[in-house]
Amino acid sequence: MFIQTESTPNPATLKFLPGQNVLEVGTADFPTAVAAEKSPLAQRIFASGDVTGVFFGRDFVTVTKADQVEWDHIKPGILGAIMEHYQSGQPVMQDDHTPASGHAEHSGEDGEIVNQIKELLDTRVRPAVAQDGGDITFHGFDRGIVYLHMQGACAGCPSSTLTLKMGIENLLRHYIPEVVEVRPVAA
């Protein structure tokens, strides 16, 4: 098994590509080791040490490291954990876990606007941020303000504010005049 690695815009995060599907659908975010209880793969990665977050996409695993450690010191352990997992035959996720589809539900008078926001996120934004090892999902819309949740490499990335304000906010405001601002939300 050959696992490729790619850097991301977030220096604390690396993207690992195992050469096979990680999740069939959706994403899975593990911001802590405790949250990884539903994933044997995420548990192995956290157990390799100095890992502060794990995120799964369709064909990648994004790992965030602790600030005080260098990638050269922990990358071999993470690669070993991923390889060991795939050789074990265990599932990536336990049977009772359903990966997140992404967007929060929204009910109310702004339904048409929210559907447009979600459509733009799905077609223009999410594919681009997946290339960088992350995901951005709709969290809410209130009085012109769009609330988005950043995951994987996007969470805590130094360029995430620029991405939100200059990229996503400008895109949404261009196509949807009702949008006046975009703000990040914590998990």
Side-chain angles (χ1 to χ4, degrees), residues 122-143:
D122 287 342
T123 59
R124 303 278 184 105
V125 177
R126 293 177 84 188
V129 296
Q131 291 295 315
D132 288 338
D135 196 12
I136 296 177
T137 57
F138 174 81
H139 186 77
F141 179 74
D142 184 36
R143 291 174 277 196

Side-chain angles (χ1 to χ4, degrees), residues 1-151:
M1 172 178 223
F2 179 71
I3 302 169
Q4 294 180 323
T5 59
E6 293 179 0
S7 59
T8 71
N10 185 345
T13 305
L14 271 182
K15 182 177 176 183
F16 294 82
L17 299 138
Q20 53 191 294
N21 277 355
V22 176
L23 293 178
E24 293 297 323
V25 295
T27 61
D29 189 27
F30 308 99
T32 65
V34 173
E37 69 181 19
K38 298 280 185 182
S39 171
L41 175 55
Q43 288 175 349
R44 283 181 203 261
I45 294 169
F46 274 106
S48 69
D50 293 312
V51 171
T52 61
V54 176
F55 178 80
F56 298 155
R58 187 180 59 76
D59 63 349
F60 66 88
V61 175
T62 302
V63 178
T64 304
K65 68 174 184 65
D67 290 335
Q68 74 276 7
V69 68
E70 296 298 320
W71 277 115
D72 291 344
H73 298 302
I74 66 166
K75 186 176 167 183
I78 295 168
L79 287 166
I82 294 170
M83 189 171 301
E84 190 177 285
H85 173 79
Y86 279 100
Q87 290 173 344
S88 76
Q90 285 187 294
V92 170
M93 303 297 295
Q94 291 178 357
D95 292 337
D96 60 343
H97 177 76
T98 306
S101 62
H103 304 304
E105 292 299 317
H106 179 86
S107 58
E109 60 191 53
D110 297 324
E112 189 174 319
I113 295 167
V114 168
N115 287 340
Q116 289 176 319
I117 292 167
K118 289 179 180 180
E119 177 72 20
L120 283 169
L121 290 173
D122 287 342
T123 59
R124 303 278 184 105
V125 177
R126 293 177 84 188
V129 296
Q131 291 295 315
D132 288 338
D135 196 12
I136 296 177
T137 57
F138 174 81
H139 186 77
F141 179 74
D142 184 36
R143 291 174 277 196
I145 300 171
V146 178
Y147 296 93
L148 300 177
H149 181 229
M150 303 176 86
Q151 300 173 310

Side-chain angles (χ1 to χ4, degrees), residues 150-186:
M150 303 176 86
Q151 300 173 310
C154 296
C157 177
S159 61
S160 65
T161 301
L162 185 65
T163 299
L164 274 179
K165 291 295 180 187
M166 300 306 291
I168 300 168
E169 184 175 291
N170 286 345
L171 174 80
L172 292 178
R173 288 174 67 187
H174 175 78
Y175 287 103
I176 308 168
E178 293 85 355
V179 172
V180 295
E181 185 181 357
V182 173
R183 293 183 189 168
V185 296

